[in-house]
Amino acid sequence: MRNFIKKHYRTIAKTALVTIYLVIIAGAVVRMTGSGMGCPDWPKCFGYYIPPTEASQLEFKPNHEYKKGIVIIKNEALLVAKTDFTSNSTLNTTNWEAYTKHDYATYNPLHTWVEYINRLFGALSGIPTLLLAIFSFWFWRKSKWITILAVINLFCLAFQAWLGKTVVDSNLAPYKITIHMVMALVIVAIILYLIYASKTSFKTQTQDKTFRNILLFGIILTLIQIVIGTQVRQFVDEQVKTIGYAKDLWLLNPTLQFYIHRSFSILVFALNAWLFYRNRKLNLGFKKINLVMACIILEVFTGIAMYYFDFPFLSQPIHLVIATILFGIQFYVYLENRRNSIFISEKI
């Protein structure tokens, strides 16, 4: 059993990483389509485990059996069934209570199912994450950090789910969306550590302190860019609410965050280009730095497309997802460059 777990632990960790990125991708699609409030309650959707497919399911029905927690829309407000009951010919308000966490009472089947699929991916990510935490105890004697971080990661995912609830309850408060994104990146970083720390062999690479320190600064810059980018995205969302889908007007009068975000991109490109150059010049052996540059170039192109070509289809979610992939690759290269510092008593 021990050998089986050690052999397949990295596979489970990689599966967990893929599911987290699927959640990030689904979340990006949710934002692109404006589906964040597609399910106004949490963890269910309008009180159902499988959400409604048409508006008539959310209308009051006479002589109908209702379960506790089922939601209906009445007079542009959400009502929640207090207990299990069978309705009379008319709506009896004593059986219902107003949903007070927010006043968003709109049903759009596309938004509902996009958000619901996002939640399904979130639930799916919990399976490999739980297995990582359980199986990590087989590594305790050889590498306690694997066990500690795997357990912490499980709690981080639970906290992330709770954050998702607070985002819905707050009707998509901007700062909560930003925290939600940063927490996703923390989970990505922990899983990447588990993937690297459970390796059985290592490539020939030169540990370079200058390269490592500049790379760490680059990771911090990427995080700052992602945070500022979520604020720019929030501004765009507000523009959509105000002026509709006139894409050419969304960034006509941008905020200061937009200019900071655009200016930082130059610094991010220059810094990582230097890392790319140093890696090749000194033959350090960090091949994934090539992927870092590819991600940055794609980021630049999608950024230009959004600003100068009025947000082409899928440009926004692609821009966000590539940024999170960039962070992941940078962090993994950082782990490779500090291999001697990672707490592993021997090869596992």
Side-chain angles (χ1 to χ4, degrees):
M1 181 66 175
R2 181 185 296 273
N3 291 334
F4 176 85
I5 290 173
K6 289 180 178 180
K7 181 179 179 181
H8 295 284
Y9 192 78
R10 293 188 78 234
T11 301
I12 298 171
K14 290 177 181 179
T15 302
L17 183 66
V18 170
T19 59
I20 292 300
Y21 271 110
L22 285 176
V23 175
I24 291 173
I25 292 169
V29 174
V30 166
R31 293 210 69 183
M32 180 191 72
T33 57
S35 303
M37 294 302 293
C39 293
D41 50 334
W42 192 96
K44 295 183 180 180
C45 189
F46 290 100
Y48 297 93
Y49 287 109
I50 300 177
T53 56
E54 54 187 34
S56 61
Q57 293 177 258
L58 298 173
E59 297 174 356
F60 172 76
K61 299 178 183 64
N63 305 313
H64 181 78
E65 184 177 336
Y66 284 99
K67 298 292 184 181
K68 181 180 179 180
I70 292 297
V71 177
I72 63 171
I73 299 177
K74 186 69 174 179
N75 298 326
E76 298 183 350
L78 297 176
L79 297 178
V80 185
K82 294 181 180 179
T83 59
D84 296 350
F85 70 94
T86 301
S87 62
N88 297 321
S89 57
T90 59
L91 187 145
N92 184 348
T93 55
T94 60
N95 293 323
W96 303 89
E97 60 184 358
Y99 193 80
T100 57
K101 292 181 179 179
H102 57 75
D103 58 359
Y104 187 88
T106 301
Y107 174 73
N108 181 308
L110 172 63
H111 292 175
T112 294
W113 280 87
V114 168
E115 169 61 15
Y116 180 69
I117 291 171
N118 176 43
R119 295 185 184 186
L120 285 180
F121 278 129
L124 179 65
S125 68
I127 298 173
T129 301
L130 177 61
L131 291 177
L132 279 180
I134 294 172
F135 294 155
S136 69
F137 286 94
W138 271 262
F139 291 85
W140 178 257
R141 292 180 62 184
K142 292 181 178 292
S143 179
K144 292 180 173 59
W145 276 112
I146 291 180
T147 306
I148 293 169
L149 288 175
V151 173
I152 289 175
N153 190 53
L154 182 62
F155 281 101
C156 285
L157 190 64
F159 180 66
Q160 179 75 332
W162 176 81
L163 279 176
K165 175 184 184 302
T166 65
V167 168
V168 173
D169 290 346
S170 66
N171 196 0
L172 310 182
Y175 75 94
K176 290 189 177 182
I177 293 175
T178 300
I179 295 173
H180 199 50
M181 171 54 67
V182 172
M183 196 65 214
L185 296 179
V186 170
I187 293 171
V188 166
I190 293 175
I191 295 176
L192 285 171
Y193 181 95
L194 296 176
I195 290 172
Y196 189 75
S198 57
K199 289 185 70 169
T200 56
S201 61
F202 297 90
K203 299 176 183 178
T204 301
Q205 294 166 321
T206 303
Q207 312 301 304
D208 182 63
K209 185 176 181 181
T210 301
F211 182 93
R212 180 169 66 246
N213 291 339
I214 298 300
L215 176 59
L216 179 59
F217 181 55
I219 294 171
I220 294 171
L221 279 182
T222 298
L223 278 172
I224 293 173
Q225 276 290 75
I226 292 174
V227 169
I228 298 175
T230 62
Q231 301 304 310
V232 174
R233 179 58 196 270
Q234 182 60 34
F235 170 76
V236 172
D237 290 344
E238 293 299 325
Q239 290 290 86
V240 173
K241 294 178 183 178
T242 303
I243 62 179
Y245 284 88
K247 296 182 179 181
D248 57 322
L249 300 178
W250 288 353
L251 291 176
L252 189 61
N253 295 297
T255 60
L256 177 62
Q257 286 95 329
F258 168 78
Y259 293 108
I260 295 173
H261 186 63
R262 187 173 65 177
S263 299
F264 262 44
S265 64
I266 300 173
L267 178 59
V268 170
F269 179 85
L271 186 146
N272 285 279
W274 183 89
L275 290 171
F276 175 81
Y277 170 76
R278 186 173 182 86
N279 181 61
R280 289 183 66 112
K281 181 182 178 181
L282 301 181
N283 195 25
L284 299 179
F286 299 104
K287 295 182 179 180
K288 291 183 178 63
I289 203 69
N290 299 334
L291 295 176
V292 168
M293 288 305 301
C295 285
I296 291 174
I297 291 170
L298 286 172
E299 281 288 88
V300 171
F301 277 123
T302 53
I304 290 172
M306 285 189 289
Y307 184 71
Y308 291 103
F309 299 99
D310 301 330
F311 296 87
F313 181 66
L314 291 180
S315 59
Q316 288 177 293
I318 290 174
H319 191 70
L320 173 61
V321 171
I322 292 175
T324 61
I325 293 173
L326 169 62
F327 168 82
I329 298 172
Q330 286 178 315
F331 186 76
Y332 196 83
V333 174
Y334 180 77
L335 291 176
E336 289 181 325
N337 200 263
R338 62 182 298 272
R339 186 174 72 199
N340 295 335
S341 301
I342 295 178
F343 186 82
I344 302 178
S345 58
E346 60 182 88
K347 291 183 179 180
I348 299 172

